[in-house]
Amino acid sequence: MLDSLMLAFQSIFASGLVLASLYVLMAAGLALVWNTLGIFNFTHGALMAAAAYVAWTVADPRGLDMGLAMGVIAAILVSAVLGFLINYLLVAPFLGQKQIVLIAVMTTLSGAFFIENSALLLWGPRIKQLDKFVDGSVRIAGTTISGHEAIIILLAPLLMLGLWAFLRFTWTGSAIRAVAQNREFAELSGIRVQRMYAIAFAIAAALAGLSGIMLGAIRFITPGLGGEPLLKALIVVILGGLGSMPGTVLGAYLVGFGEATSTYFLGAYWTQAVLFLVFIGFLALRPNGLFGKP
């Protein structure tokens, strides 16, 4: 009995840690855009898929065969440019309107469909997969995980630390925070608000691209690669409290470990339903999330 419980704990801890780290990577960009512009970017999942396709094209021998490192760099750069264009074409023209939140839902959803269908047109229906960043395996809490999953676990806190340092210690990061706190005051202070919005969007898109690359080495790459992760990232951001980066991190780990626990005891078939029921129940008790302001 004790051995079975220990085995369950080890399995849940390892898989929960990998899932939570992936959700941190996925949700960080969404939280940044919400915190800065006050909207949800529904192209986030499509950007993940697009980045995975670009990385595969640059890295794979059937593509340009330039190596995985070049594929990662190219994919992140392309994602950032796409994020800039999405803001310029689909969000910026409508800023200042009363219904901007609803308008942004429609425009970014349209953008997501456009990117996904463009990916299908460019790369075709055949599934693809990136090479893992490293071979081999690592033992953690008595359970073996792949070296690639270990990198994801290490990358998530490092990425959040880097994002926090950028927002806290650089002029551009401080300007983005100022715009998020009070747009009018920031504008009066000489900060170019539209430029800060574009930079925030580009950074968020680059983060989406990075998470898409990491996911593309675990799952097959399809135009819908980011669909399910986008839903999980939305849950994480809302659960943590809209606009709260610490809440986003905590929410990601709660969702990751909750999903791993549910999958172990109930099976993957029921996991999504259980996750959403728990999420709805939590919001009924605390509508503003873990760190959200009333």
Side-chain angles (χ1 to χ4, degrees), residues 27-33 35 160 163 167 207 241 243-250:
L30 268 183
L32 178 63
V33 168
N35 202 21
M160 293 307 295
L163 183 60
L167 294 173
L207 292 171
S244 169
M245 281 295 178
T248 298
V249 175
L250 181 58

Side-chain angles (χ1 to χ4, degrees), residues 12-22 140 152-153 253 256-257 260:
I12 290 169
F13 181 78
S15 59
L17 199 55
V18 174
L19 286 172
S21 302
L22 269 174
I140 178 171
I152 293 173
I153 292 173
Y253 282 92
F257 283 109

